PDB file of all heavy atoms in Angstrom:
ATOM      1  N   GLY A 126      90.912 -61.288 270.064  1.00 97.00           N
ATOM      2  CA  GLY A 126      89.943 -61.859 270.998  1.00 97.00           C
ATOM      3  C   GLY A 126      89.447 -60.812 271.968  1.00 97.00           C
ATOM      4  O   GLY A 126      90.234 -60.190 272.681  1.00 97.00           O
ATOM      5  N   ALA A 127      88.133 -60.638 272.016  1.00 96.00           N
ATOM      6  CA  ALA A 127      87.543 -59.606 272.865  1.00 96.00           C
ATOM      7  C   ALA A 127      87.753 -59.919 274.335  1.00 96.00           C
ATOM      8  O   ALA A 127      87.586 -59.056 275.199  1.00 96.00           O
ATOM      9  CB  ALA A 127      86.051 -59.478 272.565  1.00 96.00           C
ATOM     10  N   ASP A 128      88.136 -61.163 274.614  1.00 96.00           N
ATOM     11  CA  ASP A 128      88.291 -61.583 276.006  1.00 96.00           C
ATOM     12  C   ASP A 128      89.739 -61.536 276.467  1.00 96.00           C
ATOM     13  O   ASP A 128      90.071 -61.998 277.551  1.00 96.00           O
ATOM     14  CB  ASP A 128      87.739 -63.010 276.165  1.00 96.00           C
ATOM     15  CG  ASP A 128      88.373 -63.968 275.148  1.00 96.00           C
ATOM     16  OD1 ASP A 128      89.017 -63.468 274.183  1.00 96.00           O
ATOM     17  OD2 ASP A 128      88.242 -65.183 275.311  1.00 96.00           O
ATOM     18  N   THR A 129      90.610 -60.982 275.664  1.00 97.00           N
ATOM     19  CA  THR A 129      92.018 -60.869 276.061  1.00 97.00           C
ATOM     20  C   THR A 129      92.274 -59.464 276.570  1.00 97.00           C
ATOM     21  O   THR A 129      91.525 -58.532 276.248  1.00 97.00           O
ATOM     22  CB  THR A 129      92.953 -61.114 274.858  1.00 97.00           C
ATOM     23  OG1 THR A 129      92.719 -60.086 273.893  1.00 97.00           O
ATOM     24  CG2 THR A 129      92.678 -62.463 274.226  1.00 97.00           C
ATOM     25  N   PRO A 130      93.319 -59.288 277.360  1.00 97.00           N
ATOM     26  CA  PRO A 130      93.629 -57.943 277.866  1.00 97.00           C
ATOM     27  C   PRO A 130      93.820 -56.949 276.737  1.00 97.00           C
ATOM     28  O   PRO A 130      93.259 -55.842 276.766  1.00 97.00           O
ATOM     29  CB  PRO A 130      94.929 -58.157 278.642  1.00 97.00           C
ATOM     30  CG  PRO A 130      94.902 -59.593 279.042  1.00 97.00           C
ATOM     31  CD  PRO A 130      94.222 -60.309 277.914  1.00 97.00           C
ATOM     32  N   ALA A 131      94.594 -57.345 275.729  1.00 97.00           N
ATOM     33  CA  ALA A 131      94.831 -56.430 274.602  1.00 97.00           C
ATOM     34  C   ALA A 131      93.526 -56.154 273.871  1.00 97.00           C
ATOM     35  O   ALA A 131      93.244 -55.014 273.492  1.00 97.00           O
ATOM     36  CB  ALA A 131      95.863 -57.016 273.646  1.00 97.00           C
ATOM     37  N   GLY A 132      92.733 -57.193 273.680  1.00 97.00           N
ATOM     38  CA  GLY A 132      91.447 -57.036 273.005  1.00 97.00           C
ATOM     39  C   GLY A 132      90.555 -56.047 273.745  1.00 97.00           C
ATOM     40  O   GLY A 132      89.906 -55.207 273.130  1.00 97.00           O
ATOM     41  N   ARG A 133      90.576 -56.134 275.049  1.00 96.00           N
ATOM     42  CA  ARG A 133      89.760 -55.198 275.819  1.00 96.00           C
ATOM     43  C   ARG A 133      90.252 -53.765 275.659  1.00 96.00           C
ATOM     44  O   ARG A 133      89.474 -52.835 275.556  1.00 96.00           O
ATOM     45  CB  ARG A 133      89.748 -55.597 277.305  1.00 96.00           C
ATOM     46  CG  ARG A 133      88.720 -56.690 277.629  1.00 96.00           C
ATOM     47  CD  ARG A 133      88.568 -56.900 279.131  1.00 96.00           C
ATOM     48  NE  ARG A 133      89.734 -57.571 279.710  1.00 96.00           N
ATOM     49  CZ  ARG A 133      89.908 -58.902 279.723  1.00 96.00           C
ATOM     50  NH1 ARG A 133      88.984 -59.690 279.195  1.00 96.00           N
ATOM     51  NH2 ARG A 133      90.980 -59.437 280.267  1.00 96.00           N
ATOM     52  N   ARG A 134      91.586 -53.621 275.637  1.00 96.00           N
ATOM     53  CA  ARG A 134      92.119 -52.266 275.456  1.00 96.00           C
ATOM     54  C   ARG A 134      91.676 -51.684 274.121  1.00 96.00           C
ATOM     55  O   ARG A 134      91.229 -50.551 274.030  1.00 96.00           O
ATOM     56  CB  ARG A 134      93.641 -52.251 275.551  1.00 96.00           C
ATOM     57  CG  ARG A 134      94.201 -50.822 275.384  1.00 96.00           C
ATOM     58  CD  ARG A 134      95.713 -50.730 275.566  1.00 96.00           C
ATOM     59  NE  ARG A 134      96.139 -51.419 276.764  1.00 96.00           N
ATOM     60  CZ  ARG A 134      96.714 -52.606 276.775  1.00 96.00           C
ATOM     61  NH1 ARG A 134      96.971 -53.225 275.623  1.00 96.00           N
ATOM     62  NH2 ARG A 134      97.054 -53.169 277.904  1.00 96.00           N
ATOM     63  N   LEU A 135      91.784 -52.505 273.081  1.00 97.00           N
ATOM     64  CA  LEU A 135      91.375 -52.026 271.755  1.00 97.00           C
ATOM     65  C   LEU A 135      89.882 -51.704 271.738  1.00 97.00           C
ATOM     66  O   LEU A 135      89.455 -50.711 271.149  1.00 97.00           O
ATOM     67  CB  LEU A 135      91.696 -53.072 270.688  1.00 97.00           C
ATOM     68  CG  LEU A 135      93.177 -53.442 270.536  1.00 97.00           C
ATOM     69  CD1 LEU A 135      93.373 -54.326 269.311  1.00 97.00           C
ATOM     70  CD2 LEU A 135      94.039 -52.201 270.418  1.00 97.00           C
ATOM     71  N   ALA A 136      89.103 -52.540 272.406  1.00 97.00           N
ATOM     72  CA  ALA A 136      87.653 -52.310 272.420  1.00 97.00           C
ATOM     73  C   ALA A 136      87.326 -50.988 273.111  1.00 97.00           C
ATOM     74  O   ALA A 136      86.447 -50.243 272.674  1.00 97.00           O
ATOM     75  CB  ALA A 136      86.950 -53.464 273.115  1.00 97.00           C
ATOM     76  N   GLU A 137      88.051 -50.698 274.167  1.00 95.00           N
ATOM     77  CA  GLU A 137      87.770 -49.448 274.860  1.00 95.00           C
ATOM     78  C   GLU A 137      88.172 -48.261 273.994  1.00 95.00           C
ATOM     79  O   GLU A 137      87.474 -47.250 273.939  1.00 95.00           O
ATOM     80  CB  GLU A 137      88.522 -49.374 276.193  1.00 95.00           C
ATOM     81  CG  GLU A 137      87.940 -48.274 277.080  1.00 95.00           C
ATOM     82  CD  GLU A 137      88.910 -47.800 278.150  1.00 95.00           C
ATOM     83  OE1 GLU A 137      89.132 -48.559 279.106  1.00 95.00           O
ATOM     84  OE2 GLU A 137      89.443 -46.675 278.005  1.00 95.00           O
ATOM     85  N   THR A 138      89.291 -48.410 273.292  1.00 96.00           N
ATOM     86  CA  THR A 138      89.722 -47.334 272.392  1.00 96.00           C
ATOM     87  C   THR A 138      88.674 -47.109 271.312  1.00 96.00           C
ATOM     88  O   THR A 138      88.341 -45.966 270.982  1.00 96.00           O
ATOM     89  CB  THR A 138      91.075 -47.694 271.763  1.00 96.00           C
ATOM     90  OG1 THR A 138      92.007 -47.983 272.802  1.00 96.00           O
ATOM     91  CG2 THR A 138      91.587 -46.555 270.920  1.00 96.00           C
ATOM     92  N   LEU A 139      88.169 -48.207 270.801  1.00 96.00           N
ATOM     93  CA  LEU A 139      87.111 -48.122 269.792  1.00 96.00           C
ATOM     94  C   LEU A 139      85.902 -47.385 270.349  1.00 96.00           C
ATOM     95  O   LEU A 139      85.338 -46.496 269.703  1.00 96.00           O
ATOM     96  CB  LEU A 139      86.727 -49.533 269.354  1.00 96.00           C
ATOM     97  CG  LEU A 139      85.542 -49.672 268.398  1.00 96.00           C
ATOM     98  CD1 LEU A 139      85.766 -48.873 267.130  1.00 96.00           C
ATOM     99  CD2 LEU A 139      85.292 -51.142 268.065  1.00 96.00           C
ATOM    100  N   ALA A 140      85.510 -47.738 271.564  1.00 96.00           N
ATOM    101  CA  ALA A 140      84.360 -47.080 272.199  1.00 96.00           C
ATOM    102  C   ALA A 140      84.613 -45.583 272.329  1.00 96.00           C
ATOM    103  O   ALA A 140      83.713 -44.762 272.126  1.00 96.00           O
ATOM    104  CB  ALA A 140      84.088 -47.697 273.567  1.00 96.00           C
ATOM    105  N   PHE A 141      85.851 -45.242 272.645  1.00 95.00           N
ATOM    106  CA  PHE A 141      86.202 -43.829 272.760  1.00 95.00           C
ATOM    107  C   PHE A 141      85.960 -43.094 271.441  1.00 95.00           C
ATOM    108  O   PHE A 141      85.342 -42.034 271.402  1.00 95.00           O
ATOM    109  CB  PHE A 141      87.665 -43.679 273.182  1.00 95.00           C
ATOM    110  CG  PHE A 141      88.166 -42.266 273.168  1.00 95.00           C
ATOM    111  CD1 PHE A 141      87.720 -41.349 274.098  1.00 95.00           C
ATOM    112  CD2 PHE A 141      89.086 -41.866 272.213  1.00 95.00           C
ATOM    113  CE1 PHE A 141      88.175 -40.035 274.081  1.00 95.00           C
ATOM    114  CE2 PHE A 141      89.546 -40.554 272.188  1.00 95.00           C
ATOM    115  CZ  PHE A 141      89.091 -39.649 273.127  1.00 95.00           C
ATOM    116  N   PHE A 142      86.431 -43.696 270.356  1.00 94.00           N
ATOM    117  CA  PHE A 142      86.246 -43.045 269.058  1.00 94.00           C
ATOM    118  C   PHE A 142      84.775 -42.925 268.693  1.00 94.00           C
ATOM    119  O   PHE A 142      84.344 -41.913 268.153  1.00 94.00           O
ATOM    120  CB  PHE A 142      87.001 -43.794 267.960  1.00 94.00           C
ATOM    121  CG  PHE A 142      88.459 -43.519 267.988  1.00 94.00           C
ATOM    122  CD1 PHE A 142      89.379 -44.545 268.124  1.00 94.00           C
ATOM    123  CD2 PHE A 142      88.934 -42.227 267.885  1.00 94.00           C
ATOM    124  CE1 PHE A 142      90.738 -44.294 268.160  1.00 94.00           C
ATOM    125  CE2 PHE A 142      90.293 -41.966 267.922  1.00 94.00           C
ATOM    126  CZ  PHE A 142      91.189 -43.005 268.054  1.00 94.00           C
ATOM    127  N   GLU A 143      84.030 -43.958 268.985  1.00 95.00           N
ATOM    128  CA  GLU A 143      82.607 -43.908 268.663  1.00 95.00           C
ATOM    129  C   GLU A 143      81.932 -42.785 269.439  1.00 95.00           C
ATOM    130  O   GLU A 143      81.080 -42.066 268.910  1.00 95.00           O
ATOM    131  CB  GLU A 143      81.946 -45.263 268.941  1.00 95.00           C
ATOM    132  CG  GLU A 143      82.347 -46.306 267.902  1.00 95.00           C
ATOM    133  CD  GLU A 143      81.960 -47.734 268.279  1.00 95.00           C
ATOM    134  OE1 GLU A 143      81.639 -47.992 269.457  1.00 95.00           O
ATOM    135  OE2 GLU A 143      81.987 -48.596 267.379  1.00 95.00           O
ATOM    136  N   PHE A 144      82.357 -42.651 270.685  1.00 94.00           N
ATOM    137  CA  PHE A 144      81.785 -41.582 271.502  1.00 94.00           C
ATOM    138  C   PHE A 144      82.130 -40.212 270.935  1.00 94.00           C
ATOM    139  O   PHE A 144      81.274 -39.350 270.738  1.00 94.00           O
ATOM    140  CB  PHE A 144      82.309 -41.709 272.940  1.00 94.00           C
ATOM    141  CG  PHE A 144      81.803 -40.638 273.855  1.00 94.00           C
ATOM    142  CD1 PHE A 144      80.580 -40.776 274.504  1.00 94.00           C
ATOM    143  CD2 PHE A 144      82.536 -39.486 274.062  1.00 94.00           C
ATOM    144  CE1 PHE A 144      80.107 -39.790 275.341  1.00 94.00           C
ATOM    145  CE2 PHE A 144      82.067 -38.486 274.901  1.00 94.00           C
ATOM    146  CZ  PHE A 144      80.856 -38.639 275.543  1.00 94.00           C
ATOM    147  N   ILE A 145      83.406 -40.040 270.670  1.00 91.00           N
ATOM    148  CA  ILE A 145      83.903 -38.782 270.116  1.00 91.00           C
ATOM    149  C   ILE A 145      83.158 -38.384 268.856  1.00 91.00           C
ATOM    150  O   ILE A 145      82.699 -37.253 268.700  1.00 91.00           O
ATOM    151  CB  ILE A 145      85.400 -38.945 269.726  1.00 91.00           C
ATOM    152  CG1 ILE A 145      86.270 -38.970 270.953  1.00 91.00           C
ATOM    153  CG2 ILE A 145      85.840 -37.836 268.792  1.00 91.00           C
ATOM    154  CD1 ILE A 145      86.236 -37.711 271.724  1.00 91.00           C
ATOM    155  N   GLU A 146      83.049 -39.342 267.980  1.00 90.00           N
ATOM    156  CA  GLU A 146      82.448 -39.093 266.680  1.00 90.00           C
ATOM    157  C   GLU A 146      81.057 -38.496 266.840  1.00 90.00           C
ATOM    158  O   GLU A 146      80.689 -37.535 266.172  1.00 90.00           O
ATOM    159  CB  GLU A 146      82.351 -40.438 265.945  1.00 90.00           C
ATOM    160  CG  GLU A 146      82.276 -40.297 264.460  1.00 90.00           C
ATOM    161  CD  GLU A 146      82.236 -41.661 263.795  1.00 90.00           C
ATOM    162  OE1 GLU A 146      82.187 -42.695 264.514  1.00 90.00           O
ATOM    163  OE2 GLU A 146      82.254 -41.698 262.558  1.00 90.00           O
ATOM    164  N   GLN A 147      80.310 -39.078 267.780  1.00 91.00           N
ATOM    165  CA  GLN A 147      78.944 -38.651 268.007  1.00 91.00           C
ATOM    166  C   GLN A 147      78.924 -37.304 268.723  1.00 91.00           C
ATOM    167  O   GLN A 147      78.135 -36.423 268.395  1.00 91.00           O
ATOM    168  CB  GLN A 147      78.252 -39.753 268.805  1.00 91.00           C
ATOM    169  CG  GLN A 147      76.957 -39.354 269.454  1.00 91.00           C
ATOM    170  CD  GLN A 147      76.903 -39.817 270.898  1.00 91.00           C
ATOM    171  OE1 GLN A 147      76.195 -40.748 271.233  1.00 91.00           O
ATOM    172  NE2 GLN A 147      77.691 -39.173 271.768  1.00 91.00           N
TER     173      GLN A 147
END
Side-chain angles (χ1 to χ4, degrees):
Chain A
D128 53 346
T129 63
R133 277 189 288 276
R134 181 176 312 103
L135 299 188
E137 196 201 287
T138 305
L139 174 57
F141 173 70
F142 283 122
E143 287 168 345
F144 179 86
I145 286 297
E146 203 178 4
Q147 164 227 253

